[in-house]
PDB file of all heavy atoms in Angstrom:
ATOM      1  N   VAL A 233      73.234  -0.742  17.834  1.00 96.00           N
ATOM      2  CA  VAL A 233      71.877  -1.223  17.613  1.00 96.00           C
ATOM      3  C   VAL A 233      71.299  -0.523  16.382  1.00 96.00           C
ATOM      4  O   VAL A 233      71.110   0.694  16.380  1.00 96.00           O
ATOM      5  CB  VAL A 233      70.978  -0.978  18.840  1.00 96.00           C
ATOM      6  CG1 VAL A 233      69.572  -1.517  18.575  1.00 96.00           C
ATOM      7  CG2 VAL A 233      71.573  -1.640  20.082  1.00 96.00           C
ATOM      8  N   LEU A 234      71.075  -1.312  15.347  1.00 97.00           N
ATOM      9  CA  LEU A 234      70.500  -0.818  14.097  1.00 97.00           C
ATOM     10  C   LEU A 234      68.995  -1.074  14.124  1.00 97.00           C
ATOM     11  O   LEU A 234      68.562  -2.206  14.373  1.00 97.00           O
ATOM     12  CB  LEU A 234      71.141  -1.551  12.919  1.00 97.00           C
ATOM     13  CG  LEU A 234      70.569  -1.306  11.521  1.00 97.00           C
ATOM     14  CD1 LEU A 234      70.780   0.144  11.092  1.00 97.00           C
ATOM     15  CD2 LEU A 234      71.187  -2.261  10.511  1.00 97.00           C
ATOM     16  N   ARG A 235      68.203  -0.035  13.890  1.00 97.00           N
ATOM     17  CA  ARG A 235      66.750  -0.177  13.876  1.00 97.00           C
ATOM     18  C   ARG A 235      66.192   0.426  12.590  1.00 97.00           C
ATOM     19  O   ARG A 235      66.587   1.522  12.189  1.00 97.00           O
ATOM     20  CB  ARG A 235      66.108   0.531  15.078  1.00 97.00           C
ATOM     21  CG  ARG A 235      66.329  -0.163  16.409  1.00 97.00           C
ATOM     22  CD  ARG A 235      65.506   0.493  17.520  1.00 97.00           C
ATOM     23  NE  ARG A 235      65.632  -0.239  18.779  1.00 97.00           N
ATOM     24  CZ  ARG A 235      66.549   0.041  19.696  1.00 97.00           C
ATOM     25  NH1 ARG A 235      67.396   1.040  19.495  1.00 97.00           N
ATOM     26  NH2 ARG A 235      66.612  -0.660  20.816  1.00 97.00           N
ATOM     27  N   ILE A 236      65.266  -0.318  11.989  1.00 98.00           N
ATOM     28  CA  ILE A 236      64.552   0.165  10.806  1.00 98.00           C
ATOM     29  C   ILE A 236      63.067   0.075  11.114  1.00 98.00           C
ATOM     30  O   ILE A 236      62.559  -1.012  11.434  1.00 98.00           O
ATOM     31  CB  ILE A 236      64.887  -0.651   9.541  1.00 98.00           C
ATOM     32  CG1 ILE A 236      66.399  -0.626   9.266  1.00 98.00           C
ATOM     33  CG2 ILE A 236      64.146  -0.088   8.340  1.00 98.00           C
ATOM     34  CD1 ILE A 236      67.135  -1.824   9.780  1.00 98.00           C
ATOM     35  N   ASN A 237      62.369   1.209  11.034  1.00 97.00           N
ATOM     36  CA  ASN A 237      60.932   1.227  11.297  1.00 97.00           C
ATOM     37  C   ASN A 237      60.243   2.157  10.302  1.00 97.00           C
ATOM     38  O   ASN A 237      60.832   2.505   9.268  1.00 97.00           O
ATOM     39  CB  ASN A 237      60.654   1.620  12.752  1.00 97.00           C
ATOM     40  CG  ASN A 237      61.325   2.938  13.139  1.00 97.00           C
ATOM     41  OD1 ASN A 237      61.391   3.866  12.327  1.00 97.00           O
ATOM     42  ND2 ASN A 237      61.804   3.027  14.369  1.00 97.00           N
ATOM     43  N   SER A 238      59.048   2.572  10.608  1.00 97.00           N
ATOM     44  CA  SER A 238      58.273   3.392   9.667  1.00 97.00           C
ATOM     45  C   SER A 238      58.821   4.805   9.527  1.00 97.00           C
ATOM     46  O   SER A 238      58.450   5.528   8.593  1.00 97.00           O
ATOM     47  CB  SER A 238      56.805   3.453  10.108  1.00 97.00           C
ATOM     48  OG  SER A 238      56.695   4.039  11.396  1.00 97.00           O
ATOM     49  N   GLU A 239      59.704   5.210  10.456  1.00 96.00           N
ATOM     50  CA  GLU A 239      60.239   6.569  10.430  1.00 96.00           C
ATOM     51  C   GLU A 239      61.608   6.653   9.748  1.00 96.00           C
ATOM     52  O   GLU A 239      62.094   7.747   9.475  1.00 96.00           O
ATOM     53  CB  GLU A 239      60.350   7.103  11.857  1.00 96.00           C
ATOM     54  CG  GLU A 239      58.997   7.224  12.550  1.00 96.00           C
ATOM     55  CD  GLU A 239      59.123   7.721  13.978  1.00 96.00           C
ATOM     56  OE1 GLU A 239      60.262   7.910  14.449  1.00 96.00           O
ATOM     57  OE2 GLU A 239      58.077   7.924  14.630  1.00 96.00           O
ATOM     58  N   GLY A 240      62.242   5.535   9.506  1.00 97.00           N
ATOM     59  CA  GLY A 240      63.559   5.543   8.877  1.00 97.00           C
ATOM     60  C   GLY A 240      64.473   4.511   9.496  1.00 97.00           C
ATOM     61  O   GLY A 240      64.028   3.564  10.153  1.00 97.00           O
ATOM     62  N   SER A 241      65.785   4.705   9.305  1.00 98.00           N
ATOM     63  CA  SER A 241      66.802   3.787   9.821  1.00 98.00           C
ATOM     64  C   SER A 241      67.694   4.530  10.805  1.00 98.00           C
ATOM     65  O   SER A 241      68.094   5.677  10.556  1.00 98.00           O
ATOM     66  CB  SER A 241      67.643   3.223   8.673  1.00 98.00           C
ATOM     67  OG  SER A 241      66.838   2.474   7.786  1.00 98.00           O
ATOM     68  N   PHE A 242      68.046   3.845  11.912  1.00 97.00           N
ATOM     69  CA  PHE A 242      68.723   4.503  13.019  1.00 97.00           C
ATOM     70  C   PHE A 242      69.834   3.607  13.571  1.00 97.00           C
ATOM     71  O   PHE A 242      69.719   2.385  13.579  1.00 97.00           O
ATOM     72  CB  PHE A 242      67.735   4.804  14.146  1.00 97.00           C
ATOM     73  CG  PHE A 242      66.548   5.618  13.730  1.00 97.00           C
ATOM     74  CD1 PHE A 242      65.447   5.027  13.107  1.00 97.00           C
ATOM     75  CD2 PHE A 242      66.531   6.992  13.940  1.00 97.00           C
ATOM     76  CE1 PHE A 242      64.355   5.782  12.711  1.00 97.00           C
ATOM     77  CE2 PHE A 242      65.435   7.759  13.552  1.00 97.00           C
ATOM     78  CZ  PHE A 242      64.350   7.153  12.934  1.00 97.00           C
ATOM     79  N   ILE A 243      70.919   4.231  14.023  1.00 95.00           N
ATOM     80  CA  ILE A 243      71.953   3.569  14.806  1.00 95.00           C
ATOM     81  C   ILE A 243      71.947   4.222  16.178  1.00 95.00           C
ATOM     82  O   ILE A 243      72.167   5.431  16.304  1.00 95.00           O
ATOM     83  CB  ILE A 243      73.349   3.706  14.170  1.00 95.00           C
ATOM     84  CG1 ILE A 243      73.479   2.803  12.944  1.00 95.00           C
ATOM     85  CG2 ILE A 243      74.450   3.366  15.178  1.00 95.00           C
ATOM     86  CD1 ILE A 243      73.770   1.352  13.258  1.00 95.00           C
ATOM     87  N   ASP A 244      71.662   3.443  17.205  1.00 92.00           N
ATOM     88  CA  ASP A 244      71.610   3.964  18.582  1.00 92.00           C
ATOM     89  C   ASP A 244      70.716   5.199  18.683  1.00 92.00           C
ATOM     90  O   ASP A 244      71.025   6.162  19.398  1.00 92.00           O
ATOM     91  CB  ASP A 244      73.010   4.293  19.098  1.00 92.00           C
ATOM     92  CG  ASP A 244      73.903   3.072  19.161  1.00 92.00           C
ATOM     93  OD1 ASP A 244      73.363   1.952  19.233  1.00 92.00           O
ATOM     94  OD2 ASP A 244      75.129   3.239  19.131  1.00 92.00           O
ATOM     95  N   GLY A 245      69.633   5.182  17.932  1.00 90.00           N
ATOM     96  CA  GLY A 245      68.682   6.277  17.996  1.00 90.00           C
ATOM     97  C   GLY A 245      68.983   7.451  17.079  1.00 90.00           C
ATOM     98  O   GLY A 245      68.156   8.345  16.939  1.00 90.00           O
ATOM     99  N   GLN A 246      70.161   7.454  16.448  1.00 92.00           N
ATOM    100  CA  GLN A 246      70.521   8.537  15.534  1.00 92.00           C
ATOM    101  C   GLN A 246      70.199   8.117  14.098  1.00 92.00           C
ATOM    102  O   GLN A 246      70.636   7.059  13.638  1.00 92.00           O
ATOM    103  CB  GLN A 246      72.005   8.888  15.670  1.00 92.00           C
ATOM    104  CG  GLN A 246      72.356   9.471  17.022  1.00 92.00           C
ATOM    105  CD  GLN A 246      73.787   9.953  17.095  1.00 92.00           C
ATOM    106  OE1 GLN A 246      74.668   9.447  16.401  1.00 92.00           O
ATOM    107  NE2 GLN A 246      74.044  10.941  17.926  1.00 92.00           N
TER     108      GLN A 246
END
Side-chain angles (χ1 to χ4, degrees):
V233 181
L234 173 65
R235 288 188 175 92
I236 302 97
N237 54 37
S238 61
E239 297 179 357
S241 298
F242 304 81
I243 286 280
D244 298 337
Q246 294 186 332

